[in-house]
Amino acid sequence: MNATPEVAAAAQERSGGCLCGRIRFTVRGKAVYPHTCSCPHCQKLGGGPMMWWAGFAPEDVSWTNGIEPTWFETFEGEAQRGFCPTCGSRLAAVDSDIPEIGIVVPALDDTTGDDLVPVNQSFRDSSVRWLPQVPDIQGSSVG
């Protein structure tokens, strides 16, 4: 018997990690609210015009070699960003008002999943004018 698409998505496992390989992780299940962010904070953290994020339930994120990112508190009591202290790769985010752990999508080994296609772009007013914005399709079904 074949699994339904919902069961297959729930069982999906992806791996990822930092550039130097010191920190590795797995995420399970379908990504929640994949989006890009153009806030000045993400621009400075990512070193580019935006960062690409997707959420995963905390119980579905595992740091596979026992080494977690170093957590930097970006907004006191509200948000932390995880990075590799060896190579500097940005990997994750924990925000007090969001139940999922945000994973930096390019940290995944495979970024081709339909559930990773951004459905919105945060902080459009801070975006660079020469790059097209991500369409806001958060209310529609993707994939």
Side-chain angles (χ1 to χ4, degrees):
M1 179 194 290
N2 291 332
T4 64
E6 293 80 19
V7 170
Q12 180 177 16
E13 185 172 285
R14 298 179 172 107
S15 60
C18 65
L19 182 62
C20 72
R22 178 175 187 256
I23 300 175
R24 296 290 301 162
F25 63 89
T26 59
V27 294
R28 287 173 297 286
K30 186 176 178 182
V32 175
Y33 190 61
H35 69 285
T36 62
C37 183
S38 298
C39 76
H41 184 84
C42 281
Q43 290 172 343
K44 285 187 183 285
L45 275 174
M50 66 178 64
M51 289 184 75
W52 180 16
W53 298 95
F56 294 89
E59 63 272 15
D60 292 335
V61 177
S62 301
W63 306 103
T64 56
N65 61 0
I67 302 172
E68 283 199 32
T70 296
W71 294 96
F72 172 73
E73 191 169 38
T74 52
F75 298 103
E76 188 175 340
E78 294 181 29
Q80 296 179 343
R81 302 294 181 253
F83 66 95
C84 174
T86 302
C87 67
S89 295
R90 299 328 188 212
L91 299 169
V94 176
D95 292 284
S96 64
D97 61 340
I98 299 172
E100 295 83 22
I101 292 178
I103 295 294
V104 178
V105 176
L108 293 169
D109 297 334
D110 180 1
T111 61
T112 61
D114 288 343
D115 64 326
L116 297 174
V117 174
V119 297
N120 197 4
Q121 179 173 340
S122 302
F123 294 88
R124 292 171 182 272
D125 290 344
S126 300
S127 64
V128 294
R129 67 182 185 334
W130 48 264
L131 188 64
Q133 293 187 354
V134 173
D136 182 358
I137 56 173
Q138 62 185 337
S140 65
S141 176
V142 176

